[in-house]
Amino acid sequence: MDLRAELLKSIWYAFTALDVEKSGKVSKSQLKVLSHNLYTVLCIPHDPVALEEHFRDDDDGPVSSQGYMPYLNKYILDKVEEGAFVKENFDELCWTLTAKKNYKPDRNGNSVVSHQDAFKLWCLFNFLSEDKYPLVMVPDEVEYLLKKICTAMNVELNSCELDDYLSQEPQGQEGLTVWQFLDMVNSGRFLRGIEQEAISMAVEEVYQEVIKDVLKQARSAHVLGHEPCPAPNPVLISISCVQGYLWKRGQLRRNWSERWFMLKPSVLSYYMSEERKEKKGSIALDKHCCVEVLPDRDGKRCMFCVKTSSRTYEMSASDTRQRQEWTLAIQTAIRLQAEGKKSLHKDLKQKRREQRDQRDQRKAAKEEETQRLKQLQEEKERKLQELELLKEAQRQAEILLQEEEQRRRQQHEEMQRTLEIQLREAEQARASMQAEMVLKEAEAERQRKRILELEAMQERLQEALQQEVKARQDEEAVRYAQARLLAEEEEKLKQLMKLKEEQEEYIIKTQREKQVLKQEMENKNKCLEEAQKQLEEVRVNRQRVDQDVMAAQRKLRQASTNVKHWNVQMNRLMHPIGPGDKRTNVSGGVFAGYQPLLSQRDSSLK
C-alpha cells in the first residue's frame, strides 16, 4: 500500500463525515476548511489562490467526491513528501471529523475500549482494509487483528464464536465496516473478563507494531495479569521483534550504560528510558549490517554486537532468551532492508491478500470444475438416454426383421410345398402321358432343366439366408462390442470425450454396415422376386402343357370315336356275309389287328 492510498482512506472518512445528507456531495465552505486543515497537518505550503479558484462561488451546488478529487490530487497529494509530516496528526484530524458523526460509544462509560484506543483501532482497520470503497475489512483480516490483540494479552481468541458473529451480522461474510468492527469490540463479546488497561496496552502494542513499524514483543504476564504463555516459536520471534532495556557499551569511554532500545525496520534507536523523551542515538540498518553473538567477558553475559559499515555496537541482554529474540529481530530487519521492503506488516498483508486471491481462484476453479462435471454428467445421462432410445429402436427393428424373416420363410416353405406338389403332379402327368408325349420329350426335357435351375436357385436362396443369419450374428457381435465400449466409457470418465468421438465413429461405421446389409437384403429380395417371376413362367408353361395334354386327350377321344365308328361300319359290312370258317377267320383277324390299339387307347385314357 503506497502513501497516497493510505492518505486517501483517511480523507474518504473525513469527506463522508461532512456529507450530512448522504447525497455524495459536500458544501464548498466545508471543503475549503478541510483542505486548509490538510495543508496544515501534511506540512504543505498553502495555495490560497488555487483554493479560491477551485472553490469559487459562481457555479452551483455542492461538490461531489469526483469533483473534489482533481484538486486533492493536484494541489495536496502530489505535493506530499513521505517523512515530512507526522501521519498520526493527519489520522487524528480525519478521525476527529468522522468520529463525531459515526462513532457511538456507550454513554454510561461501559465501553471496552477508550476513545484513544478506538482511534488506534480505526488506524489499524484502515491499514488492513481492502482498497475498495466503501472500506471494509474481510473476515480473515478481522480474525488476524483480533488474534494479534489477544496474543498481546496472552489470551486465545474463540474463532468459532467469531464465525458465529460474522454469520449473524448482515453482510458479515463480505466484510465489516469500521463502525461495525468497533461496535463488535465494544460489545465485550470477545474480550470479556479483561481489564480496560490490559486492552489498552495490547491495542497500543499492536498499533506500535503494525502502524509505526515498531517490532516488539508481547508484554510479560505480571504486567497483564494473566498466566504466561508457552515459549515463543523462534520463527514468530523474528516476525514480532522486540523493544526493551539492554546494556550498551560506549565507544569512547568504553563503559556500560542501560538504554531503552526500540527497533524499526530501518533503524535501531536507543533512549535514556522507556518514556523515550531523551534520544541518545540510533543505528542505521542496511543490507551490509550483521549481528554476531559474543562470548561473555568483563562481567557481562549474553553479549552480542551489531556491525555496520562504520562501527561495531556491543550490547548485553538480561538472559539468553532475550538475546536470541533481539538477534533474530535485528536479522529480520536487516533482511527486510536487503529485500527493499520498508514495512514487514505491509509485506505480510500483501501476502495474505495474495493467498486470499489464490484461495478465491481455487474456489472459483473448483466451482467451475464442479459445474463442468455436472454438465458432463448431464451430457452423459442425455447420451445414455439417446443410447437407450437407439437400443429400443434397434430392438423394434430386430423384431420387425424377425417377423419379416419369418413371413418370408413361411412364404418360401409354402412356395416349396406348392412346387413339390406341382412337381409330383407333373411327374404323375409325365408318367401317365409318357407313351403319348414322345413327340414332346424335348419340351419335357427343357422343363426338367428349368426345374433344376429352380432348385439351384433355391440352394442359392438358402445360402443367401445363411449369409443373412451370419450378418445378423456379426451385427450382434458389433452390438456387444458397442455395449462393452459403453461400459468402458462409464469406468473411464476422464476419457469421456475421446471415447464419445470413437463411439460416434463406430456408430457411423455400424450404420454403414447396416446400410450394406440392407442393400444386400434388397438384392436378395430382388432375386426372390425374379425367382417368383420364373415360377410364374413355369406355371404358365405348365398350363400350356396341360392345354396340350387336353388337346391330345380330345384327339384320343376323337380317335376312339372314329374307331368305334369304324367298328360299326365294319360290323355292318360283315353282317350280310354268311358265316363261314374262312370268313370268320378273316374277320376275326381284322378285329384282332385293332385290338392292341384299343387296349393302348384304354390304358392311355386311364
Side-chain angles (χ1 to χ4, degrees):
M1 183 194 306
D2 57 1
L3 181 61
R4 180 185 292 264
E6 294 181 11
L7 297 178
L8 276 175
K9 286 185 177 182
S10 299
I11 295 174
W12 177 79
Y13 278 109
F15 185 90
T16 54
L18 297 175
D19 181 15
V20 179
E21 298 179 355
K22 296 183 180 180
S23 62
K25 295 183 179 181
V26 179
S27 64
K28 295 178 182 179
S29 59
Q30 290 177 318
L31 289 179
K32 285 182 182 180
V33 176
L34 175 62
S35 302
H36 183 80
N37 290 328
L38 292 177
Y39 275 122
T40 302
V41 296
L42 294 175
C43 300
I44 300 173
H46 290 258
D47 191 351
V49 176
L51 185 65
E52 294 296 332
E53 179 69 20
H54 190 80
F55 297 106
R56 63 182 182 273
D57 295 330
D58 57 353
D59 53 352
D60 299 331
V63 180
S64 64
S65 59
Q66 289 81 7
Y68 183 57
M69 282 302 295
Y71 174 81
L72 181 65
N73 287 323
K74 182 176 180 181
Y75 295 102
I76 297 178
L77 296 180
D78 290 346
K79 297 179 181 180
V80 173
E81 296 181 1
E82 189 172 1
F85 66 98
V86 180
K87 189 173 182 300
E88 187 174 357
N89 296 337
F90 168 79
D91 289 334
E92 285 182 352
L93 169 65
C94 297
W95 164 255
T96 302
L97 291 173
T98 189
K100 290 180 181 179
K101 178 182 177 181
N102 299 299
Y103 183 53
K104 299 178 178 59
D106 192 347
R107 295 181 179 180
N108 298 326
N110 297 326
S111 298
V112 175
V113 296
S114 63
H115 191 273
Q116 187 64 22
D117 294 335
F119 162 69
K120 293 174 183 178
L121 290 174
W122 177 79
C123 295
L124 291 168
F125 180 93
N126 289 343
F127 180 84
L128 297 174
S129 63
E130 298 297 305
D131 298 333
K132 295 182 293 186
Y133 295 91
L135 296 175
V136 295
M137 186 161 57
V138 297
D140 291 343
E141 296 296 329
V142 173
E143 183 178 4
Y144 171 77
L145 179 56
L146 291 177
K147 279 185 177 180
K148 287 196 71 68
I149 295 174
C150 291
T151 302
M153 296 184 295
N154 289 342
V155 297
E156 185 177 357
L157 176 66
N158 191 343
S159 301
C160 297
E161 190 174 358
L162 177 61
D163 293 338
D164 294 339
Y165 180 86
L166 293 176
S167 62
Q168 296 172 2
E169 188 72 19
Q171 299 179 350
Q173 298 299 324
E174 298 179 1
L176 296 178
T177 63
V178 65
W179 314 118
Q180 291 173 335
F181 176 72
L182 291 176
D183 290 342
M184 179 185 70
V185 175
N186 278 324
S187 66
R189 185 171 182 176
F190 305 101
L191 301 175
R192 63 172 63 92
I194 303 177
E195 297 179 358
Q196 187 176 15
E197 181 182 0
I199 296 174
S200 298
M201 294 173 64
V203 171
E204 171 65 20
E205 192 169 321
V206 176
Y207 176 81
Q208 291 289 333
E209 178 182 350
V210 176
I211 303 300
K212 292 193 173 182
D213 287 328
V214 177
L215 307 173
K216 59 183 179 180
Q217 180 187 15
R219 296 181 182 270
S220 60
H222 71 275
V223 175
L224 295 178
H226 294 282
E227 293 296 327
C229 290
N233 192 329
V235 178
L236 297 178
I237 293 174
S238 64
I239 295 176
S240 58
C241 307
V242 297
Q243 66 176 355
Y245 282 106
L246 289 174
W247 288 88
K248 174 185 170 298
R249 190 170 187 177
Q251 182 180 10
L252 300 177
R253 298 172 59 184
R254 309 300 291 175
N255 60 331
W256 291 88
S257 302
E258 190 176 27
R259 298 287 183 257
W260 176 264
F261 281 81
M262 184 177 67
L263 176 63
K264 291 187 176 182
S266 59
V267 64
L268 176 62
S269 305
Y270 50 95
Y271 304 83
M272 281 293 295
S273 64
E274 58 182 309
E275 285 79 11
R276 294 178 292 176
K277 294 182 180 179
E278 182 180 356
K279 185 176 181 180
K280 300 299 292 182
S282 61
I283 304 172
L285 301 176
D286 54 29
K287 62 182 180 179
H288 302 291
C289 299
C290 64
V291 182
E292 294 182 1
V293 177
L294 300 177
D296 298 343
R297 65 173 183 269
D298 299 335
K300 293 295 181 181
R301 54 191 298 272
C302 302
M303 294 178 60
F304 65 96
C305 67
V306 179
K307 292 185 179 181
T308 64
S309 56
S310 59
R311 180 180 168 186
T312 300
Y313 297 87
E314 296 183 5
M315 284 158 278
S316 173
S318 59
D319 52 32
T320 305
R321 179 178 175 181
Q322 188 182 22
R323 178 177 66 179
Q324 182 184 12
E325 292 174 356
W326 274 103
T327 54
L328 290 175
I330 296 172
Q331 288 173 354
T332 301
I334 295 172
R335 178 176 57 82
L336 290 175
Q337 292 299 314
E339 294 175 356
K341 299 175 182 177
K342 297 181 179 181
S343 173
L344 175 64
H345 287 279
K346 290 180 181 178
D347 181 53
L348 293 176
K349 177 189 174 184
Q350 184 63 28
K351 288 182 179 179
R352 291 195 302 273
R353 182 173 296 177
E354 291 174 357
Q355 290 175 357
R356 287 198 303 272
D357 293 340
Q358 292 176 0
R359 183 181 61 194
D360 294 340
Q361 291 175 0
R362 289 194 299 269
K363 184 178 179 181
K366 186 176 180 181
E367 292 178 354
E368 183 179 357
E369 181 68 17
T370 303
Q371 187 67 21
R372 189 178 68 83
L373 289 175
K374 184 178 179 181
Q375 293 176 356
L376 288 176
Q377 185 67 22
E378 293 176 353
E379 182 70 16
K380 178 183 175 182
E381 292 177 356
R382 186 177 64 81
K383 291 293 182 184
L384 288 176
Q385 292 177 357
E386 292 178 357
L387 287 174
E388 289 296 331
L389 292 176
L390 289 174
K391 287 180 179 179
E392 184 64 25
Q394 190 173 9
R395 285 194 294 269
Q396 295 294 334
E398 288 177 357
I399 293 172
L400 293 175
L401 286 174
Q402 290 176 359
E403 293 177 353
E404 183 68 20
E405 182 182 359
Q406 187 176 2
R407 185 178 60 81
R408 287 199 306 269
R409 187 174 296 171
Q410 290 176 356
Q411 291 178 355
H412 181 73
E413 291 176 353
E414 184 178 357
M415 182 179 65
Q416 188 175 4
R417 286 193 300 270
T418 304
L419 288 174
E420 289 177 354
I421 294 171
Q422 291 176 358
L423 287 172
R424 285 194 299 271
E425 291 177 354
E427 283 292 335
Q428 292 175 0
R430 185 175 61 84
S432 63
M433 297 172 60
Q434 185 174 7
E436 298 178 2
M437 297 181 63
V438 177
L439 297 176
K440 296 184 179 182
E441 186 69 25
E443 183 68 23
E445 187 68 22
R446 285 195 298 272
Q447 292 296 330
R448 285 195 298 272
K449 290 181 180 180
R450 191 64 178 172
I451 291 170
L452 291 174
E453 290 177 358
L454 289 175
E455 290 176 352
M457 186 176 293
Q458 182 181 357
E459 291 176 358
R460 289 197 298 272
L461 288 175
Q462 290 289 343
E463 292 176 358
L465 286 174
Q466 292 178 359
Q467 291 177 0
E468 184 178 358
V469 171
K470 184 179 179 181
R472 190 165 288 105
Q473 291 176 354
D474 295 337
E475 185 179 0
E476 288 292 333
V478 169
R479 287 198 297 272
Y480 176 76
Q482 183 179 1
R484 180 173 56 82
L485 288 175
L486 289 175
E488 291 177 357
E489 179 185 11
E490 292 177 353
E491 294 175 357
K492 300 178 180 178
L493 183 60
K494 295 181 181 179
Q495 302 177 0
L496 179 63
M497 299 303 297
K498 182 177 179 182
L499 291 178
K500 183 182 72 176
E501 296 175 355
E502 294 178 359
Q503 185 180 4
E504 291 176 352
E505 294 176 359
Y506 197 84
I507 289 173
I508 293 171
K509 182 178 178 182
T510 306
Q511 291 177 353
R512 290 176 180 173
E513 292 177 358
K514 286 183 179 180
Q515 291 177 357
V516 172
L517 290 174
K518 186 177 180 181
Q519 187 67 29
E520 291 179 359
M521 290 174 67
E522 291 177 355
N523 294 333
K524 292 173 184 178
N525 290 331
K526 290 180 180 178
C527 293
L528 287 173
E529 291 175 358
E530 292 177 0
Q532 290 177 357
K533 290 180 181 179
Q534 292 175 0
L535 287 173
E536 291 292 333
E537 292 177 0
V538 171
R539 292 192 188 97
V540 172
N541 292 333
R542 187 178 63 80
Q543 291 175 0
R544 188 168 62 251
V545 171
D546 292 338
Q547 292 175 359
D548 293 339
V549 171
M550 291 175 66
Q553 288 177 356
R554 286 195 301 271
K555 289 179 182 180
L556 287 172
R557 285 194 297 272
Q558 185 67 31
S560 176
T561 305
N562 293 333
V563 170
K564 288 181 180 179
H565 179 71
W566 292 341
N567 288 333
V568 171
Q569 291 297 330
M570 289 178 69
N571 289 329
R572 287 179 181 179
L573 290 174
M574 291 186 292
H575 189 269
I577 301 172
D581 296 335
K582 190 174 183 180
R583 292 283 183 182
T584 303
N585 291 335
V586 172
S587 60
V590 172
F591 185 77
Y594 283 97
Q595 192 66 32
L597 291 174
L598 293 174
S599 63
Q600 184 177 3
R601 178 178 59 85
D602 295 333
S603 64
S604 299
L605 291 174
K606 290 179 181 180

